[in-house]
Amino acid sequence: EGTELDMSDKELPSVSVLIPARNEDALLEDCLHSVLASDYPKLEIIVADDCSHDATPDIIRKFAHDGVRFVACQPPKENWLAKNQTYEQLAHEASGSLLLFCGVDVRFEPQSIRRLVSSMIHKKKSMLSIMPINQQLHPSPLQAMRYFWELAPPRRLFNRPPVLSTCWLIAKDALHDLGMFTGVQRTVVPEAHFARELIKTDAYTFAHSSLHVGVASVKSFEGQRETLVRMRYPQLHRRPEIVCLIALAELTTLLGPFLFVLVGPFAGVPVWMLGAAGMAVLLLIGAYRAVEYVAFPHERWRVLPLLPVGVLLDVYFMHFSMWKYEFSEVIWKERNVCIPVMHVIPHLPKID
């Protein structure tokens, strides 16, 4: 959560809010309105139009009188994912000492950016990734499980710190020292690379938003589904054997105790085994409840029944994402983001 610092407006670092946009609608307008309402004194707002073929450029230009800068992107180069190329261009265009990357589905309260910057300075970090609260009317098992896997496991022990692409803040100098986006031009989750590198020197932190901080997400269920398909298999290093092992472990550890408690009394299972299964169920509910408390502050108890549903959906989408990457296409923003690992050379060169 954000921590207020006793700093004057003059002492605060400058911040560039960087928003990639492609074929957007009212989501982009609402996002810009929320950023423009910020009370942060040194704010630069840049929106990159990633080759849109709808009214997105017109939407951006409407905000020109409010100081929003418009950047037109070129078609993605070979071996570059379009979003990473857009990030690279936005980072070069920015003049702020801190860069705040966010999607069009993010909403800020007037004090949000000030509190995020204050938290980052107070903790002496170079990068901060924020888990927003969910503003949808109904809680989603897809988003709940995504947040669960970011928060519940001890990821730092494996140098895999939690990170979300929704909203993240990084010092421009640190990003430059890490080579900008050139080294991760084909990476689906480039911010995860920066987080892994910076956490080695304790320069990265993951924070959750709150009603006090005021960073929220309004991503639709369809948007969450597309994000899960795009990110799940790359998160598992595009390794089918890891998908199978994680799916088996997830079904065994997250669903197994519930099934054991339900079926055990009718199968003559010893009481001590039922007690152990009951304790496991309580621990799982407690962990899930903690994530739900952070992500869905308005729906605090209605999300608990989504745990079994979320587990089954996560297992399904792990395999579906694997199938799409291995045998089909992964379409995001009307582009295929599945760049093949292997390339076919149709003809061998002639030998003189």
Side-chain angles (χ1 to χ4, degrees):
E1 296 185 4
T3 302
E4 296 292 345
L5 291 181
D6 185 19
M7 297 178 66
S8 66
D9 289 352
K10 186 177 181 179
E11 294 175 308
L12 288 170
S14 56
V15 175
S16 295
V17 180
L18 309 177
I19 307 173
R22 175 175 167 82
N23 297 338
E24 305 298 347
D25 49 18
L27 282 177
L28 176 57
E29 289 194 62
D30 293 343
C31 178
L32 288 174
H33 280 304
S34 73
V35 177
L36 287 168
S38 173
D39 63 4
Y40 199 82
K42 300 179 183 178
L43 204 61
E44 175 186 53
I45 306 170
I46 308 177
V47 182
D49 174 32
D50 184 12
C51 306
S52 299
H53 49 75
D54 63 356
T56 299
D58 298 328
I59 294 174
I60 300 171
R61 291 189 185 100
K62 285 197 315 183
F63 290 88
H65 64 280
D66 294 312
V68 176
R69 286 179 55 197
F70 170 85
V71 175
C73 297
Q74 298 298 318
K77 301 174 185 177
E78 185 180 3
N79 291 337
W80 270 86
L81 292 183
K83 186 175 182 180
N84 295 354
Q85 181 175 303
T86 303
Y87 274 168
E88 178 84 355
Q89 185 171 351
L90 282 167
H92 281 293
E93 293 282 345
S95 60
S97 58
L98 298 179
L99 309 181
L100 178 59
F101 294 92
C102 69
V104 298
D105 55 286
V106 176
R107 300 292 177 268
F108 298 97
E109 293 295 328
Q111 76 283 354
S112 297
I113 297 177
R114 182 185 292 269
R115 287 174 176 163
L116 292 177
V117 172
S118 296
S119 177
M120 187 169 166
I121 296 174
H122 176 73
K123 296 177 180 179
K124 299 180 181 180
K125 305 298 182 181
S126 298
M127 180 179 176
L128 171 70
S129 182
I130 305 100
M131 188 183 82
I133 59 176
N134 187 285
Q135 284 190 341
Q136 295 298 92
L137 294 177
H138 303 288
S140 165
L142 297 182
Q143 200 164 41
M145 281 305 298
R146 184 185 174 198
Y147 291 168
F148 180 84
W149 282 118
E150 293 296 332
L151 294 178
R155 301 173 63 93
R156 290 194 61 168
L157 296 178
F158 306 99
N159 195 32
R160 296 285 173 181
V163 64
L164 290 175
S165 59
T166 310
C167 183
W168 53 289
L169 184 67
I170 188 170
K172 188 174 184 179
D173 289 343
L175 182 63
H176 184 271
D177 291 342
L178 291 171
M180 304 287 278
F181 292 88
T182 304
V184 290
Q185 53 190 308
R186 295 173 55 175
T187 304
V188 176
V189 192
E191 54 275 5
H193 167 74
F194 303 134
R196 287 196 298 271
E197 292 302 313
L198 290 172
I199 205 170
K200 294 176 182 177
T201 56
D202 197 30
Y204 169 75
T205 188
F206 182 85
H208 64 80
S209 183
S210 64
L211 297 176
H212 173 72
V213 177
V215 179
S217 170
V218 295
K219 184 174 289 188
S220 65
F221 183 85
E222 180 60 25
Q224 296 169 27
R225 188 193 71 81
E226 290 179 352
T227 299
L228 202 58
V229 173
R230 178 172 60 93
M231 298 178 64
R232 200 68 181 101
Y233 193 44
Q235 285 176 333
L236 299 174
H237 310 291
R238 296 181 68 164
R239 299 275 297 275
E241 67 274 19
I242 295 180
V243 171
C244 294
L245 288 173
I246 293 295
L248 181 62
E250 194 168 336
L251 291 172
T252 303
T253 59
L254 298 184
L255 278 188
F258 288 91
L259 294 176
F260 201 87
V261 169
L262 291 175
V263 178
F266 305 99
V269 174
V271 175
W272 69 269
M273 294 182 67
L274 286 175
M279 288 296 296
V281 167
L282 291 177
L283 290 174
L284 288 173
I285 290 177
Y288 197 77
R289 171 72 179 89
V291 175
E292 169 248 349
Y293 179 84
V294 171
F296 305 94
H298 301 292
E299 304 285 350
R300 292 187 173 175
W301 291 105
R302 291 173 56 190
V303 185
L304 282 179
L306 297 179
L307 175 57
V309 176
V311 171
L312 293 175
L313 284 175
D314 190 52
V315 170
Y316 166 76
F317 276 106
M318 272 194 289
H319 289 84
F320 184 66
S321 177
M322 176 180 68
W323 176 78
K324 295 287 281 185
Y325 271 98
E326 295 289 350
F327 304 108
S328 184
E329 295 179 333
V330 180
I331 304 300
W332 189 73
K333 299 290 184 179
E334 301 181 351
R335 291 192 180 109
N336 180 28
V337 301
C338 181
I339 299 177
V341 175
M342 302 179 65
H343 299 272
V344 176
I345 302 175
H347 302 287
L348 292 175
K350 293 182 179 181
I351 302 176
D352 296 330

